[in-house]
Amino acid sequence: MSANLLAIFYLVSGVLFILALRGLSSPETSRQGNLYGIIGMIIAISVTIISIGNFSIGFVYLIIFLIIGGTLGAFIAFKIPMTAMPELVAGFHSLVGLAAVFVAISAFLNPEIFDLGYPGNIKIASLVEMSLGAAIGAITFTGSIIAFLKLRGIMSGSPITFVGQHFLNLVLGILLVGLIYYLCKTQSENLFWSLILISFLVGILLIIPIGGADMPVVISMLNSYSGWAAAGIGFTLENTALIITGALVGSSGAILSYIMCKGMNRSFFNVILGGWGATDDTSNKKSTEQKPVKSGNADDAAFLMKNASSVIIVPGYGMAVAQAQHALKEMVDSLKKNGVKVSYAIHPVAGRMPGHMNVLLAEASVPYDEVFELEDINNDFANCDVAYVIGANDVTNPVAKTDPQSPIYGMPILDVEKSKSVLFVKRSLSPGYAGIDNDLFYRENTLMLFADAKKMTEEITKNL
Amino acid sequence: MELDPFIFRLSIFILSIFVGYYVVWSVTPSLHTPLMSVTNAISSVIIVGAIIASLAGNSNEVFNTASIFGYLAIILAAVNIFGGFLVTQRMLAMYKKKKKDK
């Protein structure tokens, strides 16, 4: 196959990948989009194999490894529960990162096959590109592993900080730049290995100070990194499919990070530098202990909701933890039988990754046209009888609008307090991730339901 | 005056960032999780690099240091490609509209 034809095929698969993302603009077109993505991938893989034209024993191994990896991937894809999606995505990011590192290593060790020069005499431009690909890939790898461990609960979700952390990161960052510079000058293999090792370390250090509820930003950011790593390798291999895809994924992740940061009214650097709420919880704790709280049981909640004409459900991470989405759907079905109008309100940073709540609700077969984003539904709270807050906390805290001293001041929140009554399912009065007390607990129109989200929802359904 | 092919690739790269920017902003927020899993799957197109690394060498031995890293990368990328596309498919199949008769 001529190089030109090959390049055109890569271009075609790049375009198919664009269409795959384009399809996600609405659920109807999304399945077709995914199909385009699959076709693009098949084209890219087949033309690569055909263009090399090596169908010896090595090819057999390739097929075997492809099948091993593919079976494993397919197995994971079918077995994974939807609540574990954030971990899965983090885990997958780590694989992309490591794959980028491996490809960069073999390009460095054997540059002839990629037309990059000879060992010890690799073209400078290629060397820069592969170093960047390897470094970003390595950061993505270890960073995603840490994110995975935190999401999985193997590692504590609380931020790990130590004195001089930012300074250390800065030093390592400068060191990486220096290493790439000297690598280009000396072509030394040792420098290349140190580059990768230090990048692994940077990946770990970058993610450990970031707390659990900031994971939506972290996952999006690592998504973006995996794209830039792929693009770096794409430049090295002079492969348009990789360059296009890398750019797409890179900008996609960056946009998602931006949306998530905006959902918390924080700057990207504020999130990355870590440790939110650790400073402010002492001042707030004192005043809260004596305030009266109205608490109720499933019976009260059922009574309120049955007699309402409209109910808005506000799900949060707690719903995912309690796996309450199916129970919730049953409750909503009974409410609908009673003639109650029900809709769902999703905050941009609800859950542990962008769109987390939407997937869980979809899994419980909640129709997606009953689920609304913050800006589309926020005005409806004023006309709604009951808001049912299940597993959400900070995203409903009115303090974000009223108290400029609060760490979450300015964060867009769901105007739950405007509804006639608020049902708050929560295990205790403990503050949410931001470490601040939620004013809503003590309001006249709030009824606290102290229980596990799933159990409470099931009991309400029984009482309807 | 000859143009460095790098400039062509850079142009593709920059333009793709813009395409990505506009395409991703048009993605509905309720599909952000499938967006992440599908971008994951497509970024595994890095497998083409792994295939070249493992097959294109002209040495007689199938496994040399460069090709071993290639094969390892193939396994990792394959997990991602199959896992990523299938889990996206599985998620997207769950998004349903309200039935009209209600």
Side-chain angles (χ1 to χ4, degrees), chain A residues 155-173:
Chain A
M155 205 172 136
S156 153
S158 49
I160 300 170
T161 46
F162 52 86
V163 182
Q165 191 162 25
H166 302 322
F167 182 71
L168 178 64
N169 288 344
L170 184 71
V171 169
L172 289 176

Side-chain angles (χ1 to χ4, degrees), chain A residues 23-50:
Chain A
L24 290 169
S25 58
S26 93
E28 286 107 81
T29 54
S30 61
R31 284 164 275 246
Q32 176 146 39
N34 200 36
L35 193 65
Y36 286 139
I38 295 172
I39 297 171
M41 188 60 76
I42 293 172
I43 293 177
I45 294 177
S46 334
V47 297
T48 309
I49 294 174
I50 294 168

Side-chain angles (χ1 to χ4, degrees), chain A residues 56-304:
Chain A
S56 63
I57 185 77
F59 176 70
V60 178
Y61 280 113
L62 180 137
I63 298 295
I64 293 173
F65 289 135
L66 210 54
I67 292 173
I68 293 176
T71 318
L72 195 62
F75 181 77
I76 297 170
F78 284 116
K79 283 284 167 208
I80 192 93
M82 285 298 146
T83 40
M85 208 45 77
E87 296 96 290
L88 179 77
V89 170
F92 277 171
H93 286 156
S94 74
L95 298 184
V96 179
L98 193 59
V101 174
F102 284 166
V103 173
I105 291 176
S106 61
F108 183 79
L109 294 178
N110 202 352
E112 299 105 312
I113 57 174
F114 294 98
D115 263 336
L116 306 176
Y118 299 93
N121 187 20
I122 301 173
K123 283 185 271 179
I124 298 298
S126 309
L127 207 52
V128 174
E129 290 154 2
M130 78 172 79
S131 312
L132 284 176
I136 302 172
I139 292 173
T140 312
F141 172 62
T142 48
S144 303
I145 299 268
I146 300 292
F148 175 85
L149 294 176
K150 284 194 169 194
L151 288 164
R152 192 87 218 159
I154 298 171
M155 205 172 136
S156 153
S158 49
I160 300 170
T161 46
F162 52 86
V163 182
Q165 191 162 25
H166 302 322
F167 182 71
L168 178 64
N169 288 344
L170 184 71
V171 169
L172 289 176
I174 293 170
L175 189 61
L176 282 181
V177 177
L179 276 175
I180 295 179
Y181 177 76
Y182 280 105
L183 179 64
C184 293
K185 275 186 102 168
T186 61
Q187 307 256 350
S188 146
E189 208 176 305
N190 288 336
L191 286 180
F192 186 71
W193 295 119
S194 349
L195 177 78
I196 292 175
L197 284 180
I198 291 174
S199 305
F200 279 145
L201 187 64
V202 171
I204 297 174
L205 289 172
L206 215 51
I207 308 300
I208 53 167
I210 306 179
D214 283 336
M215 279 302 150
V217 181
V218 171
I219 297 194
S220 317
M221 183 183 86
L222 291 167
N223 186 231
S224 179
Y225 285 2
S226 69
W228 304 131
I233 302 293
F235 274 104
T236 320
L237 308 186
E238 310 183 346
N239 182 310
T240 24
L242 255 174
I243 294 177
I244 295 176
T245 317
L248 287 178
V249 177
S251 55
S252 162
I255 290 172
L256 289 177
S257 319
Y258 171 77
I259 296 175
M260 294 302 115
C261 288
K262 219 171 132 239
M264 298 191 286
N265 190 37
R266 298 171 65 195
S267 74
F268 184 69
F269 286 103
N270 183 290
V271 176
I272 296 310
L273 298 180
W276 187 22
T279 47
D280 214 76
D281 51 4
T282 40
S283 56
N284 277 296
K285 255 175 195 158
K286 272 179 264 161
S287 57
T288 62
E289 279 152 17
Q290 297 90 359
K291 277 194 252 173
V293 172
K294 279 200 293 183
S295 82
N297 57 27
D299 217 10
D300 307 329
F303 179 79
L304 264 175

